[in-house]
Amino acid sequence: MAVAELALVAYCLVDLARHADSRHMPRWAWVLLCLFVNPFGAIAYLMVGRGEGR
């Protein structure tokens, strides 16, 4: 379970680093949310924070 959470957070952080657009919050806020609110921050980013067209 911990490996899956770590992989999810890592995926979100890489996605945030590669793409400049995010919705509803600045990128730095998404990074903090993904890092400190496991796994719900990463899930929230994937559901509502990713930019258009991805």
Side-chain angles (χ1 to χ4, degrees), residues 1-3 7-9 12 14 19-21 28 30 37 42-43 51-52:
M1 183 70 169
V3 174
L8 178 63
V9 170
C12 290
V14 168
H19 300 95
D21 57 334
W28 63 266
W30 281 117
V37 186
I43 293 170
E52 295 293 323

Side-chain angles (χ1 to χ4, degrees), residues 7-53:
L8 178 63
V9 170
Y11 175 78
C12 290
L13 292 177
V14 168
D15 189 67
L16 279 164
R18 287 185 179 175
H19 300 95
D21 57 334
S22 63
R23 295 187 299 179
H24 304 292
M25 292 193 306
R27 285 188 341 175
W28 63 266
W30 281 117
V31 169
L32 291 177
L33 190 71
C34 288
L35 287 175
F36 296 114
V37 186
N38 285 332
F40 302 109
I43 293 170
Y45 169 71
L46 291 175
M47 292 179 68
V48 297
R50 292 181 78 182
E52 295 293 323

